[in-house]
Amino acid sequence: MPQAEGKEKTHIRGSVKKKSLPDAETFSKGILSGDIVLLSRAITLVESTLHSHQELAEAILEKCLPHSGKSIRVGITGIPGVGKSTFIEAFGNHLIDQGRKVAVLTIDPTSQLSRGSILGDKTRMETLSRRKEVFIRPSPSGDSLGGVARKTRETIFLCESAGFDTILVETVGVGQSETAVNSMVDVFLLLLIAGAGDELQGIKRGIMEMADMIAITKADGENIGRANRAKAETISAVHFLPAHESGIHTDVRTCSALTGEGISEIWTEIANFIKTIREKGYLEKKRKEQAKHWLHESVQSILLDDFFSKMGTDFHKAEELVTQGLAGSYQTARKLVQRYKNEDKNLSK
Ligand code: GDP
């Protein structure tokens, strides 16, 4: 819905009436009391590109941040077709049966491309989405991966403030998004399919290294034998990977979202993992490092955005020069940045 700066439009009997947005205090109080409508609206503000929305989103986040951090944050990845949404449906339902409140967020790098959203296009998680203890929010779109990831991370804080104690962040295993997800979750689960080679699954060594747990999906019916063989192969593959900083070995198991086999065990394993890393002080350390990482990321992206908004034309001219071999890339970059800094001084006079 297109919105006017700082206002939301309401259609009343054919006329368009501007409705003021609630203030940050109203938003945060509502979110803290578990108001899902206000939570959704706050996330829309986080995702908005309007300056006034961003300011309001920042004020809401500031108020909510002290109340966040109490959930278990689980990253889930795997190639399209591995069974992510079917797994999350079974897993999410199991968690809710255990009395947990679950938020499912997605980071879909393909949603930036004109139409091709791999995660968003189909009707997903039908039985899960009908339950009142769940909150499902698709990937924010129309942004760089870094932008999408930052917004998802902020959405995690808002969901936690609204009382969700388990956050599942799903991403499609095609590219850099795993690294982004890993920088916002406590435990990272990689789903693999039996019978497809590593290359076919696009599983880079880095993703295997990142995974705290690996589950071979679709271990049911005739596929059980293949799933068990894949499990044995994966166990020997992770054996050669460097140990995790936490000192905990990557857990490898099979599961079936269809029969429910292995689903509750994955949760038990995750809960044990969290308990152990919390006791070792590693969870706190990991979250602190993630906060530092995002501070770093954000400074870079704010500076870059500002640079390109002021120096876009000069940059394109410089691109011509360096591609034609008329100037060196580093020297040209240095000159451009110098000009940008001078420009900034002129502007602030
Ligand atoms: P995603 O693209 O990773 O989200 O994968 P989906 O969850 O959409 O699943 C892809 C296909 O695998 C669908 O046809 C599912 O019905 C099927 N599938 C998913 N999980 C299982 C499972 O545990 N067992 C079996 N036999 N099929 C499954």
Side-chain angles (χ1 to χ4, degrees), residues 5-6 48-58:
E5 181 108 351
S48 171
T49 49
L50 287 180
H51 184 65
S52 61
H53 286 176
Q54 286 171 355
E55 271 184 352
L56 182 54
E58 274 173 31

Side-chain angles (χ1 to χ4, degrees), residues 13-234:
R13 287 194 196 125
S15 66
V16 176
K17 236 188 161 185
K18 279 178 183 167
K19 189 175 80 176
S20 290
L21 281 164
D23 59 12
E25 184 71 20
T26 312
F27 260 114
S28 59
K29 276 198 178 137
I31 292 169
L32 290 173
S33 71
D35 184 328
I36 298 301
V37 176
L38 281 181
L39 170 66
S40 294
R41 288 175 73 189
I43 297 171
T44 306
L45 294 173
V46 165
E47 292 171 355
S48 171
T49 49
L50 287 180
H51 184 65
S52 61
H53 286 176
Q54 286 171 355
E55 271 184 352
L56 182 54
E58 274 173 31
I60 299 167
L61 271 164
E62 201 172 303
K63 289 186 186 297
C64 287
L65 215 52
H67 306 275
S68 69
K70 294 182 197 107
S71 82
I72 293 181
R73 305 167 182 168
V74 186
I76 298 170
T77 194
I79 54 162
V82 73
K84 288 181 296 303
S85 53
T86 319
F87 172 81
I88 291 172
E89 175 139 70
F91 191 58
N93 275 315
H94 172 73
L95 293 178
I96 292 169
D97 293 342
Q98 303 289 305
R100 303 193 71 91
K101 284 188 77 187
V102 182
V104 181
L105 314 176
T106 55
I107 293 190
D108 183 354
T110 58
S111 67
Q112 303 153 47
L113 310 174
S114 47
R115 279 155 212 277
S117 168
I118 291 181
L119 292 176
D121 277 354
K122 47 196 163 157
T123 314
R124 312 173 85 238
M125 306 167 201
E126 263 179 74
T127 63
L128 184 61
S129 60
R130 280 201 287 271
R131 300 192 71 167
K132 64 175 187 341
E133 303 88 343
V134 77
F135 178 76
I136 300 180
R137 182 86 181 188
S139 182
S141 60
D143 208 337
S144 65
L145 173 59
V148 168
R150 175 189 53 87
K151 289 168 184 180
T152 306
R153 185 166 179 266
E154 290 174 355
T155 299
I156 292 180
F157 299 143
L158 293 178
C159 290
E160 288 175 344
S161 309
F164 290 95
D165 57 21
T166 320
I167 316 281
L168 309 181
V169 187
E170 176 193 13
T171 192
V172 63
V174 289
Q176 296 299 308
S177 53
E178 292 82 6
T179 319
V181 174
N182 200 34
S183 64
M184 64 182 79
V185 297
D186 306 323
V187 52
F188 199 49
L189 170 64
L190 169 66
L191 300 182
L192 291 181
I193 205 165
D198 289 356
E199 276 160 49
L200 210 104
Q201 304 203 44
I203 300 305
K204 291 174 208 80
R205 199 186 141 96
I207 298 174
M208 292 273 265
E209 272 177 38
M210 243 182 256
D212 299 296
M213 292 182 68
I214 298 178
I216 319 290
T217 57
K218 309 188 195 184
D220 45 53
E222 291 176 353
N223 212 25
I224 291 184
R226 252 177 296 166
N228 282 330
R229 277 195 299 283
K231 178 181 155 186
E233 282 162 21
T234 310

